[in-house]
Amino acid sequence: MSTQTELQNTIADLVLKGKGILAADESNPTMAKRFAAINVVSTEESRRVYRSLLLTTPGLSEFISGIILFEETLGQKTDDGKLLPVVVANQGIVPGIKVDKGTLPLSNASGDLITQGLDGLAERLASYKDQGARFAKWREVYTISLCNPSQLGINSNAEVLARYAAICQSIGIVPIVEPEVLLDGDHTIERCLEVTQAVQHAIFHALHRHQVKLEYMVLKPNMIMPGKMFHCKASPEDIAQQTLTQLRRSVPAAMPGINFLSGGQTPEEATANLNVMNVMAGNAPWELSFSYGRALQQPALHAWQGKTENTLVAQHALLKRIRLNGAARYGHYSTVMEN
Ligand code: 13P
């Protein structure tokens, strides 16, 4: 099969009405943090048990088209010996893989970060592909302050994302391009829009320079909202309106799908915001969906508590969030459905 056909097929399986992506690709340090909140020690075995629970939840494929896995998960098996990426694929869900190697401070750009992992990426991708991965994810991180992100930070991060995306496409892997402007800080919603606009403008410019085919990639952006420490919250209507304004200004119509990250929103907020976005989207050229980590997993993690006897109730909690976000894909969610 040509790489072009592979990319086409993966997009067709990944960007689907009513469905979204489950991010289950936390690095080991992040997983240790999540487990610490429920007093579970993070080991290869506890991560295997937890991720097996998530990936074997009955009914997942009704609302989930893709799952982003962490490298370790690709080689792990369920209790009855099935490889986890195979368990995913057998449900008709596309397995994906986080391929970046986390952030470091960017030299001469105080306060800005840059993501590692381009060296040897083509070889790693080829081996992930052999293990069943059909799409990849790479995250660049931007902090908002009075002077961050700097122009150097914006340009350098854009270049790295575009190089990653071009390498993915050259071997038939669909890239998810994730520029995350963090919620941390006390900035206004307008400042979030200004920064996100500059970030995405630079990224699409870089993607063009590197001849990335927008038809065969997915954007995973933050929503436009005030900082966590800003003195008042924005309504889902404000967030949806500002986010749609920003996306219409930045994202070409050739892009098939936009799958938001949740970034520290509560599960209910992330669902409500996605819902209004779809109500207000009108004739937007892209599917507006989710690629949530915490906003899908948090209730399940807390229901589980590291105990086998809680497996079913944890799976039930995951399925509930997934179903509600599936409804939000059509703008059919309402808070009464939470009960
Ligand atoms: P959150 O939805 O928890 O922000 O995670 C999404 C993700 O994949 C971050 O890279």
Side-chain angles (χ1 to χ4, degrees), residues 23 25 137 139 178 220 261-263 291-294:
D25 61 331
K137 185 198 92 169
R139 172 174 175 259
E178 180 182 12
K220 174 163 174 168
L261 58 93
S262 61
S291 175
Y292 296 156
R294 284 163 285 181

